PDB file of all heavy atoms in Angstrom:
ATOM      1  N   LYS O 125      12.077 130.824 100.783  1.00 95.00           N
ATOM      2  CA  LYS O 125      11.031 131.736 101.317  1.00 95.00           C
ATOM      3  C   LYS O 125      10.186 131.032 102.362  1.00 95.00           C
ATOM      4  O   LYS O 125       9.667 131.684 103.295  1.00 95.00           O
ATOM      5  CB  LYS O 125      10.194 132.265 100.231  1.00 95.00           C
ATOM      6  CG  LYS O 125       9.361 131.244  99.468  1.00 95.00           C
ATOM      7  CD  LYS O 125       8.770 131.826  98.178  1.00 95.00           C
ATOM      8  CE  LYS O 125       9.788 131.833  97.047  1.00 95.00           C
ATOM      9  NZ  LYS O 125       9.351 132.371  95.788  1.00 95.00           N
ATOM     10  N   ASP O 150      15.176 135.845  96.444  1.00 97.00           N
ATOM     11  CA  ASP O 150      13.967 135.861  95.634  1.00 97.00           C
ATOM     12  C   ASP O 150      14.036 137.106  94.779  1.00 97.00           C
ATOM     13  O   ASP O 150      14.293 138.213  95.304  1.00 97.00           O
ATOM     14  CB  ASP O 150      12.749 135.875  96.600  1.00 97.00           C
ATOM     15  CG  ASP O 150      11.597 135.050  96.062  1.00 97.00           C
ATOM     16  OD1 ASP O 150      11.611 134.744  94.859  1.00 97.00           O
ATOM     17  OD2 ASP O 150      10.705 134.702  96.864  1.00 97.00           O
ATOM     18  N   SER O 151      13.794 136.980  93.470  1.00 98.00           N
ATOM     19  CA  SER O 151      14.090 138.129  92.575  1.00 98.00           C
ATOM     20  C   SER O 151      13.301 139.370  92.974  1.00 98.00           C
ATOM     21  O   SER O 151      13.795 140.504  92.913  1.00 98.00           O
ATOM     22  CB  SER O 151      13.811 137.741  91.136  1.00 98.00           C
ATOM     23  OG  SER O 151      12.435 137.329  91.030  1.00 98.00           O
ATOM     24  N   GLU O 152      12.044 139.151  93.389  1.00 98.00           N
ATOM     25  CA  GLU O 152      11.192 140.308  93.769  1.00 98.00           C
ATOM     26  C   GLU O 152      11.750 141.041  94.967  1.00 98.00           C
ATOM     27  O   GLU O 152      11.772 142.258  95.026  1.00 98.00           O
ATOM     28  CB  GLU O 152       9.774 139.859  94.086  1.00 98.00           C
ATOM     29  CG  GLU O 152       9.017 139.232  92.895  1.00 98.00           C
ATOM     30  CD  GLU O 152       9.435 137.819  92.559  1.00 98.00           C
ATOM     31  OE1 GLU O 152      10.324 137.272  93.254  1.00 98.00           O
ATOM     32  OE2 GLU O 152       8.919 137.248  91.568  1.00 98.00           O
ATOM     33  N   ASN O 223       2.915 131.114  94.955  1.00 97.00           N
ATOM     34  CA  ASN O 223       4.261 131.651  95.085  1.00 97.00           C
ATOM     35  C   ASN O 223       4.218 133.138  95.428  1.00 97.00           C
ATOM     36  O   ASN O 223       4.931 133.629  96.285  1.00 97.00           O
ATOM     37  CB  ASN O 223       5.068 131.395  93.803  1.00 97.00           C
ATOM     38  CG  ASN O 223       6.468 131.903  93.907  1.00 97.00           C
ATOM     39  OD1 ASN O 223       7.165 131.581  94.882  1.00 97.00           O
ATOM     40  ND2 ASN O 223       6.928 132.679  92.959  1.00 97.00           N
ATOM     41  N   GLU O 227       5.415 135.027  98.705  1.00 98.00           N
ATOM     42  CA  GLU O 227       6.299 136.193  98.583  1.00 98.00           C
ATOM     43  C   GLU O 227       5.726 137.437  99.267  1.00 98.00           C
ATOM     44  O   GLU O 227       6.469 138.257  99.775  1.00 98.00           O
ATOM     45  CB  GLU O 227       6.575 136.485  97.114  1.00 98.00           C
ATOM     46  CG  GLU O 227       7.429 135.387  96.476  1.00 98.00           C
ATOM     47  CD  GLU O 227       7.753 135.618  95.023  1.00 98.00           C
ATOM     48  OE1 GLU O 227       7.230 136.588  94.427  1.00 98.00           O
ATOM     49  OE2 GLU O 227       8.530 134.856  94.464  1.00 98.00           O
TER      50      GLU O 227
HETATM   51 MG1   MG Y 402      10.206 135.182  93.268  1.00 55.24          MG
END
Side-chain angles (χ1 to χ4, degrees):
K125 65 193 80 181
D150 216 341
S151 57
E152 295 76 2
N223 183 49
E227 290 182 355

